[in-house]
Amino acid sequence: MLILDEIFTGFGRPGNWFACEQSDIVPDIVCLGKGLTGGFPLSACLGRSELMDAAWPPSTGEAIHTSTFLGHPVGCAMALAQIKEITRLKLVQRSAKLGSVLLEKLSALSARHLPLSLACRGMGLLAGLEVRDRDGSPATGPVLQLIKAMLRRGFILLPEGEHANVICFTPPLTITERQLDTVVAALASVLNHP
């Protein structure tokens, strides 16, 4: 049985509705959250009916499955509205297009001759810039300094990866190309003058 966690990656961020679509994978069960409502607390666990029916037999009045964020009527209404807006505004396609732009801009940073080695990767508006020292070791300290410098300039970025040496970019799906230019230009400035 294949269970996928699409809580962080689902609902357009990877340039598809779900990251598993990038590899033509169809999970047996998928866990959803975050992008489902655009911020309101709600999560969902979807699966093939034969699996879900076997896991939760018909109720005789008792709660078979509970969760803090399960089935809240306002949350469910917000999820339906969120899905409509993502579709109406074509945010999945927009994420794919702007994600390519973001990776191109981050790649240009990687090509510079800096005291650090940079490598970018990602899909859609889910990107990371891996930072290593010239000897190949993870540049955890410099990444934390870069992130603090970016925060002082008004940009919220997070360190990711096993060694916290990957700068994570997860902008809203409504970000503009001009705003992407601004953050990459600020990062270039910080890289050149920490």
Side-chain angles (χ1 to χ4, degrees):
M1 182 164 37
L2 179 62
I3 301 172
L4 296 182
D5 176 348
E6 291 262 12
I7 292 169
F8 186 62
T9 57
F11 295 95
R13 183 162 301 287
N16 293 80
W17 275 95
F18 301 99
C20 61
E21 294 176 82
Q22 297 274 346
S23 304
D24 292 326
I25 293 173
V26 178
D28 296 300
I29 295 175
V30 62
C31 301
L32 306 172
K34 297 188 191 233
L36 179 60
T37 60
F40 191 85
L42 185 73
S43 62
C45 183
L46 308 175
R48 293 192 339 248
S49 60
E50 64 270 17
L51 292 172
M52 302 306 267
D53 290 346
W56 292 289
S59 170
T60 58
E62 76 282 9
I64 302 257
H65 171 64
T66 62
S67 167
T68 305
F69 302 137
L70 182 70
H72 190 282
V74 174
C76 291
M78 291 179 81
L80 292 172
Q82 172 79 340
I83 292 167
K84 272 186 182 175
E85 282 301 286
I86 290 171
T87 303
R88 183 181 72 81
L89 297 173
K90 298 182 174 152
L91 294 181
V92 176
Q93 298 89 331
R94 191 168 192 287
S95 176
K97 179 184 170 212
L98 288 179
S100 295
V101 169
L102 177 59
L103 286 179
E104 184 179 308
K105 292 177 185 312
L106 292 175
S107 292
L109 289 179
S110 303
R112 293 180 178 205
H113 297 288
L114 299 167
L116 299 168
S117 172
L118 308 176
C120 67
R121 60 183 178 270
M123 57 175 83
L125 288 173
L126 177 61
L129 185 67
E130 184 173 7
V131 184
R132 293 189 170 271
D133 291 319
R134 283 293 175 188
D135 65 3
S137 61
T140 304
V143 162
L144 296 177
Q145 289 173 352
L146 287 168
I147 287 174
K148 287 177 186 174
M150 289 296 285
L151 184 59
R152 285 190 292 274
R153 291 172 179 238
F155 300 97
I156 301 172
L157 300 172
L158 296 174
E160 300 287 350
E162 179 183 3
H163 303 288
N165 68 312
V166 178
I167 299 172
C168 183
F169 296 85
T170 56
L173 303 185
T174 54
I175 195 167
T176 65
E177 189 169 341
R178 183 172 178 214
Q179 289 169 323
L180 287 176
D181 286 338
T182 302
V183 70
V184 175
L187 183 58
S189 174
V190 168
L191 282 165
N192 288 325
H193 309 287

